[in-house]
Amino acid sequence: MVRNFAHRTRRILYVCTSGFSLLDEILIPNLKIEYILLFLKSAFRLKQMERYMAGGSYPTIVESELKKVRILFPPIHIQEKIIEENSLLKNRLENERNLFEEKVDKLNKKINEIFLG
């Protein structure tokens, strides 16, 4: 599945991998690159891109096929809202993950105390 994208904000002289696509800044007014990345990684878009993917040892999509993918461009305030909501959800998930890891650590300490005395 295509999940890895790189977003470059400065000139990169070379990249030694075929594991991701490189997206340049797109100079279109009212278009957020963060929105494009979220859109391309969405389950909705990934499902649609599967039909363009070539076979091989891992599924890929070549640049000529990627150019056929249509991207929905809502107004800038909607793009910003989507980006903000995504950021809030990611932060919440990270906080929940940290709390979970703390609880697991406490549980492991208690288990060690029981077995080791």
Side-chain angles (χ1 to χ4, degrees), residues 86-101:
N86 182 69
S87 179
L88 290 172
L89 288 171
K90 284 170 74 172
N91 288 338
R92 192 167 120 198
L93 178 63
E94 184 65 28
N95 289 338
E96 293 290 328
R97 182 178 294 131
N98 289 338
L99 289 172
F100 175 78
E101 288 175 3

Side-chain angles (χ1 to χ4, degrees), residues 9-117:
T9 55
R10 59 187 162 85
R11 182 109 170 102
I12 297 174
L13 299 178
Y14 52 86
V15 176
C16 300
T17 183
S18 61
F20 62 90
S21 296
L22 186 62
L23 298 177
D24 283 325
E25 287 287 342
I26 299 173
L27 301 175
I28 300 174
N30 298 323
L31 179 63
K32 297 279 192 181
I33 191 75
E34 297 92 342
Y35 168 78
I36 293 173
L37 293 171
L38 288 172
F39 183 79
L40 290 174
K41 291 180 175 184
S42 71
F44 166 76
R45 180 52 57 195
L46 290 172
K47 187 75 172 160
Q48 290 188 348
M49 287 173 42
E50 284 178 358
R51 67 180 171 186
Y52 295 118
M53 291 181 185
S57 59
Y58 62 93
T60 61
I61 184 167
V62 294
E63 186 177 340
S64 61
E65 294 297 330
L66 185 59
K67 288 179 180 180
K68 295 177 184 177
V69 174
R70 296 192 180 219
I71 300 175
L72 303 173
F73 297 116
I76 192 77
H77 70 278
I78 301 293
Q79 293 178 48
E80 289 171 344
K81 184 173 175 114
I82 290 169
I83 293 165
E84 181 181 351
E85 286 290 322
N86 182 69
S87 179
L88 290 172
L89 288 171
K90 284 170 74 172
N91 288 338
R92 192 167 120 198
L93 178 63
E94 184 65 28
N95 289 338
E96 293 290 328
R97 182 178 294 131
N98 289 338
L99 289 172
F100 175 78
E101 288 175 3
E102 287 174 18
K103 289 180 180 181
V104 168
D105 287 343
K106 286 180 182 178
L107 179 61
N108 284 334
K109 285 179 184 177
K110 285 183 180 181
I111 291 171
N112 284 336
E113 287 173 8
I114 291 170
F115 288 115
L116 300 174

